[in-house]
């Protein structure tokens, strides 16, 4: 009997050791899991990536903290899907619903960059990745990640603006002008190209400094935008040269009126820092007439040279184009 009880005690002790070992292993795994959760949470917050899930049966939502932060909603609150959708801009909401419905129907996934206005009225941009989960061939939930990409989006927009706009005046730059010129010419949607050069700008720059010169360029750009409000494009292509593209359907008389209005607008004194600067503008005009864009610009440059040689502050058409147009209209 004594030996039997001793054996029972030994087995019990061994069992307790195994349980203790198992408990120690579970505790270690729990510590590791808590550690990894902490790392994931920190990484998620640093990358501004949140995890979300939506049950399709009742559209109930589950979010990680970062998703609440993206929408500027209190962490742990219980937002409805309808209330969340109201924070999307109309265009983003419509596109999200389209992609979501397609993914559910196909039991597939999608990625989408959306624009939202948060609960605090802040404009943000968010990248959504979504995956539909199915059970027995039926879509039951959709889940994924949401990342705040506002800083990325604005940085890209700034780079695009730097690539397409003149930083001095805010006008489209040479690259955007060339793209538009070729597009309009290929579509046969261009009437004329007006090349404009400021008269007297070099003297202002040399005598009053670059700051005065820069101010003159900005003022000239503003006057051109106002005078050529109906034009297809007003751009600064370098130095004191500007260009205006006039869309198709505008007749010779209107083009002449526009060039004359530019001359008059630029002849007005430039009042900068209490000083009056006398400038002006010469304008060279090339009518499109199916001319290749590169030749069209060269023709306008030739006409500009003729305007400057003719006394400045005036405009000229390329090699008698105006007369040819009048003769054609009279016939």
């Amino acid at each position: 009997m004594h030996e039997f009880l001793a054996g029972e005690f030994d087995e019990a002790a061994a069992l307790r050791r195994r349980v203790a070992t198992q408990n120690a292993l579970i505790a270690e795994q729990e510590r590791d899991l808590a550690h990894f959760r902490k790392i994931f949470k920190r990484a998620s917050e640093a990358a501004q990536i949140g995890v979300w899930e939506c049950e399709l049966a009742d559209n109930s939502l589950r979010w990680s903290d970062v998703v609440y932060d993206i929408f500027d909603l209190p962490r742990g609150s219980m937002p409805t899907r309808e209330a969340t959708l109201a924070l999307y801009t109309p265009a983003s909401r419509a596109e999200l619903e389209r992609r979501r419905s397609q993914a559910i129907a196909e039991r597939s996934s999608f990625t989408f960059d959306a624009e939202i206005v948060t609960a605090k009225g802040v404009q943000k941009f968010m990248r959504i990745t979504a995956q539909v989960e199915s059970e027995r061939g039926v879509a039951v939930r959709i889940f994924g990640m949401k990342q705040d990409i506002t800083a990325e989006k604005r940085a890209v927009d700034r780079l695009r603006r730097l690539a397409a706009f003149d930083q001095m005046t805010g006008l489209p730059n040479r690259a955007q002008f060339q793209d538009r010129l070729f597009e309009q010419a290929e579509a046969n949607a261009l009437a004329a190209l007006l090349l404009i050069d400021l008269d007297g700008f070099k003297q202002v720059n040399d005598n009053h400094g670059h700051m005065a010169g820069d101010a003159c360029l900005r003022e000239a750009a503003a006057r051109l935008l106002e005078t050529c409000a109906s034009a297809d494009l007003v751009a600064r292509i370098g130095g004191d040269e500007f260009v205006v593209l006039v869309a198709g359907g505008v007749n010779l008389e209107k083009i002449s009126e526009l060039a004359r209005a530019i001359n008059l607008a630029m002849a007005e004194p430039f009042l900068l820092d209490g000083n009056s600067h006398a400038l002006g503008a010469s304008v060279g005009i090339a009518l499109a007439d199916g001319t290749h864009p590169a030749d069209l610009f060269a023709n306008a440059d030739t006409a500009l040279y003729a305007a400057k040689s003719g006394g400045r502050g005036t405009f000229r058409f390329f090699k008698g184009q105006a007369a040819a147009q009048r003769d054609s209209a009279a016939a």
Side-chain angles (χ1 to χ4, degrees):
M1 185 68 179
H2 177 74
E3 292 177 354
F4 173 77
L5 290 174
E8 288 289 319
F9 283 131
D10 289 343
E11 288 184 12
L15 181 59
R16 284 194 295 272
R17 287 194 296 273
R18 286 197 297 271
V19 169
T21 300
Q22 190 67 27
N23 286 339
L25 180 60
I26 292 172
E28 183 179 357
Q29 290 174 338
E30 287 177 344
R31 286 193 297 273
D32 288 342
L33 181 59
H35 177 66
F36 287 128
R37 281 176 176 166
K38 184 183 294 185
I39 292 175
F40 175 79
K41 186 173 184 294
R42 289 176 178 173
S44 174
E45 291 177 350
Q48 295 182 300
I49 298 174
V51 178
W52 62 274
E53 183 179 70
C54 178
E55 295 290 340
L56 298 180
D58 58 5
N59 277 332
S60 60
L61 301 173
R62 283 187 290 275
W63 291 352
S64 67
D65 287 345
V66 173
V67 179
Y68 287 102
D69 296 344
I70 291 174
F71 285 99
D72 284 334
L73 290 169
R75 291 184 176 184
S77 58
M78 298 294 290
T80 63
R81 184 166 186 271
E82 291 72 20
T84 303
L85 283 174
L87 299 176
Y88 288 76
T89 61
S92 285
R93 181 165 58 247
E95 181 62 16
L96 174 62
E97 290 292 77
R98 186 191 71 79
R99 294 191 184 210
R100 182 180 187 269
S101 297
Q102 181 178 350
I104 291 171
E106 298 174 354
R107 299 189 295 281
S108 60
S109 62
F110 69 88
T111 300
F112 173 55
D113 290 352
E115 180 183 358
I116 64 171
V117 178
T118 73
K120 294 181 179 179
V122 179
Q123 181 196 42
K124 289 184 181 180
F125 296 90
M126 175 177 62
R127 179 161 296 145
I128 303 169
T129 59
Q131 176 70 52
V132 174
E133 183 179 350
S134 302
E135 293 178 1
R136 299 183 180 90
V138 177
V140 294
R141 67 184 56 86
I142 185 168
F143 65 95
M145 294 183 294
K146 292 182 178 180
Q147 180 181 15
D148 187 343
I149 60 167
T150 304
E152 173 189 333
K153 175 73 165 55
R154 289 177 177 161
V156 170
D157 288 346
R158 281 195 296 272
L159 288 174
R160 285 175 177 167
R161 182 166 183 82
L162 286 171
F165 289 88
D166 172 53
Q167 298 306 294
M168 174 70 66
T169 63
L171 293 178
N173 62 13
R174 178 181 287 271
Q176 188 176 167
F177 153 67
Q178 290 176 333
D179 289 344
R180 185 74 64 84
L181 173 62
F182 275 82
E183 287 173 5
Q184 295 294 80
E186 288 176 2
N188 198 27
L190 188 63
L193 186 158
L194 282 66
L195 187 59
I196 302 152
D197 186 82
L198 298 184
D199 299 326
F201 174 76
K202 185 176 185 301
Q203 287 81 356
V204 171
N205 223 24
D206 291 347
N207 297 332
H208 300 279
H210 290 294
M211 290 186 66
D214 293 347
C216 284
L217 290 174
R218 287 190 288 269
E219 174 63 19
R223 293 185 188 187
L224 282 174
L225 280 176
E226 182 178 357
T227 305
C228 306
S230 61
D232 186 63
L233 180 78
V234 178
R236 180 188 176 215
I237 57 173
D240 59 345
E241 281 195 334
F242 299 83
V243 69
V244 175
L245 295 181
V246 180
V250 179
N251 61 32
L252 183 67
E253 182 180 356
K254 293 294 184 183
I255 294 171
S256 298
E257 289 177 1
L258 178 62
R260 192 172 294 109
I262 292 171
N263 289 144
L264 291 173
M266 294 303 173
E268 291 292 323
F270 283 64
L271 300 175
L272 305 168
D273 296 329
N275 298 314
S276 177
H277 302 286
L279 276 79
S282 298
V283 183
I285 307 169
L287 302 178
D289 293 335
T291 307
H292 188 276
D295 295 330
L296 186 65
F297 185 84
N299 292 348
D301 191 49
T302 300
L304 175 62
Y305 180 79
K308 284 189 169 294
S309 299
R312 301 174 183 267
T314 186
F315 65 90
R316 292 288 186 273
F317 283 85
F318 173 67
K319 291 184 179 177
Q321 280 185 327
Q325 287 284 320
R326 284 193 293 269
D327 292 343
S328 176

